[in-house]
Amino acid sequence: MAPAKSSPAARTGGARSQTLLINSKIRHIKKKDGEPLWRKDIQYDFLREIFYDDTRVFTNSYDGTPNHSYSEIYVDAMARSSKSSKVLREKLLGDSQAALNIAMVCLLVNIGRMNTTLNFFPEMRAQLRTYHPIPSLQSYSDPTAYKQLQDAPRLKSILKGACEDRPEPSTLDQLLLRPRLPRTNPINLVFVLATYARRVTDLFFVEPFEFYDFIMNTNVSSKSRAKAFLWLMWVYLESDLSPEQLRANPFGYGQDNGMKIPLFVPLTPEEIELENVDSPQEKDFAVRMVEERKRMLH
């Protein structure tokens, strides 16, 4: 049933007995130990478009302050997590560049693209972990700055802390029934939407696209995917999901008379090659870190 005819909240009542609808189409990033995660692997341009967007239309769910960018409320939720150390919290709140780099990797963990077998500094030898430099996020002048990323299990712990430190909705039904806005923090929202990806696809996507095309579909532009992602974040955090508010979404007028996400823009093969291009500095960094890993292991 189209959102224009009834609100999504009204249509979820019969689904409460359903099990969690985890979409099997998401694929974890998998590479051999020492292989870099290039810009295309992490979809750097998509992540950058999200976290460098300065549209100030979000409310901080902790203190109620308005007029924040998405990156501000996301980083703030990370910093408030009980699993964030004092050092990391200070880094998140005091070093905006480092905070955004950490947030980019966290979103990959958050949405299910990156599992907890990955680490990002060469000296780690934990069992069942593989090392992968991320040149686009670690090519700093400070040679120790790569350690600021944490490893994927610690990042997952930080994210889970942000969902467990206070009561948060854990299902789509619970989320939609919350009367106050914003309904939750942005980290918990991504977990919930990723868990119920099929239902979210039915509600707000136009065929043949679906929720995981945000992070998996490299045939459409990073900018259009990021815009649609932010459109969806605003819908669930800031709107009452009425047709009037959906059409007034600050991230653009959606498809289906404003009721669904904005259009994904397809790319030609030539345009695809122009996205997520690693710089020479990043390639040099990767070579150095791979050699460092070999020295650590031997």
Side-chain angles (χ1 to χ4, degrees), residues 118-134:
L118 308 183
N119 86 84
F120 312 115
F121 35 96
E123 60 268 38
M124 177 173 281
R125 302 190 188 199
Q127 201 170 21
L128 302 178
R129 305 272 182 85
T130 54
Y131 162 66
H132 309 280
I134 309 182

Side-chain angles (χ1 to χ4, degrees), residues 199-217:
R199 286 173 58 187
V200 176
T201 294
D202 290 341
L203 289 171
F204 289 114
F205 285 72
V206 176
E207 291 185 351
F209 297 109
E210 61 183 3
F211 179 83
Y212 284 116
D213 281 309
F214 280 141
I215 195 66
M216 298 295 295
N217 194 334

Side-chain angles (χ1 to χ4, degrees), residues 87-253:
V87 172
L88 178 60
R89 188 173 295 113
E90 291 174 352
K91 180 64 64 176
L92 289 170
L93 298 177
D95 185 337
S96 60
Q97 182 63 64
L100 293 177
N101 288 341
I102 296 169
M104 287 184 189
V105 180
C106 277
L107 185 59
L108 293 175
V109 176
N110 203 173
I111 205 170
R113 178 67 170 131
M114 185 178 283
N115 65 16
T116 54
T117 63
L118 308 183
N119 86 84
F120 312 115
F121 35 96
E123 60 268 38
M124 177 173 281
R125 302 190 188 199
Q127 201 170 21
L128 302 178
R129 305 272 182 85
T130 54
Y131 162 66
H132 309 280
I134 309 182
S136 58
L137 302 180
Q138 294 178 306
S139 301
Y140 303 108
S141 57
D142 178 358
T144 65
Y146 68 83
K147 295 183 180 181
Q148 294 171 357
L149 272 187
Q150 311 288 305
D151 60 359
R154 287 185 178 89
L155 296 178
K156 181 69 173 285
S157 176
I158 291 166
L159 297 176
K160 295 300 287 184
C163 303
E164 297 169 355
D165 293 338
R166 64 178 189 176
E168 302 284 358
S170 60
T171 70
L172 193 58
D173 294 315
Q174 292 174 4
L175 180 75
L176 293 171
L177 290 172
R178 281 214 161 184
R180 296 181 63 182
L181 299 177
R183 296 180 175 86
T184 186
N185 68 57
I187 293 171
N188 189 61
L189 176 63
V190 172
F191 275 132
V192 172
L193 297 188
T195 300
Y196 289 88
R198 293 178 189 173
R199 286 173 58 187
V200 176
T201 294
D202 290 341
L203 289 171
F204 289 114
F205 285 72
V206 176
E207 291 185 351
F209 297 109
E210 61 183 3
F211 179 83
Y212 284 116
D213 281 309
F214 280 141
I215 195 66
M216 298 295 295
N217 194 334
T218 59
N219 294 317
V220 293
S221 77
S222 299
K223 187 171 184 177
S224 67
R225 283 184 282 136
K227 180 179 179 181
F229 178 86
L230 291 168
W231 187 97
L232 191 65
M233 295 297 103
W234 186 87
V235 164
Y236 279 105
L237 290 174
E238 302 288 343
S239 82
D240 61 10
L241 286 84
S242 66
E244 294 76 20
Q245 291 202 4
L246 291 178
R247 294 190 184 104
N249 193 303
F251 294 99
Y253 194 81

Side-chain angles (χ1 to χ4, degrees), residues 266-284:
L267 298 175
T268 66
E270 294 77 17
E271 290 170 331
I272 292 173
E273 293 303 313
L274 296 176
E275 292 207 335
N276 298 299
V277 178
D278 300 279
S279 71
Q281 176 186 349
E282 291 163 6
K283 293 176 182 178
D284 291 342

